[in-house]
Amino acid sequence: TGFFMEGFWKDKSKFRFWLFQGAFCATGATIVSGAMAERTQLKGFALYTILMTSFIYPIVVYWGWSGSGALYYTDGGESKSLVGPAFMDFAGSGVVHLTGGVGALCGAIIVGPRNGRWDESNANDFDGHSVPFCVLGTFFLWFGWYGFNPGSTGSMHDAATANTAGLVAVNTTLAPCVAGLLIFLLRALVLPPRLLDVGAFCNGILAGLVSITA
């Protein structure tokens, strides 16, 4: 299973895979930070990060991506899982983002909302402090997705694999564009108070990126 880099010196290509998966693992751990922001001590977040990166994520990724796990294995030349058809996840929509999202949901339920979060008299106190920074952070994440998704093709050493990576990059561009514009238009034309909501536009972009990662 490559536990503690077992067998890496015999097959040095595994170091490349380890570094790539390390980025996925770190992503799964950082998703929770926003869900529990401003109401979790650093030691609590550090404990969560250790549990996620050392135990939870490795188990989930083995189930889904090892080829021998509960969600994806081969039996008689046919790909299967314990519940029927094999689990397919190209670049971590489920293995990474759903795992981190479930952790974030559990954390948010445990710590609860910020004091006064749902008090209408304090509603303005919880507005985002900087819309430009929100947009800038969204574009940083979007740029990083071009490493995750095209990089998940595993290689670009010839025309065929490079074309596959190009297709993935195009999908990684179109999906957030469509999702972001859809949410922006819904907030502007359908959902009250019908405003040009840049924050919702950014959320739509991220939703499109996560969905196309599958």
Side-chain angles (χ1 to χ4, degrees), residues 116-131:
R117 176 64 180 90
W118 304 116
D119 186 348
E120 293 184 3
S121 63
N122 299 326
N124 293 332
D125 294 340
F126 295 94
D127 289 339
H129 75 286
S130 175
V131 174

Side-chain angles (χ1 to χ4, degrees), residues 89 93-94 97 145 149 175-176 179 204-214:
D89 187 351
S93 183
H97 296 283
W145 242 279
N149 286 9
I205 289 173
L206 295 179
L209 287 167
V210 171
S211 64
I212 202 60
T213 302

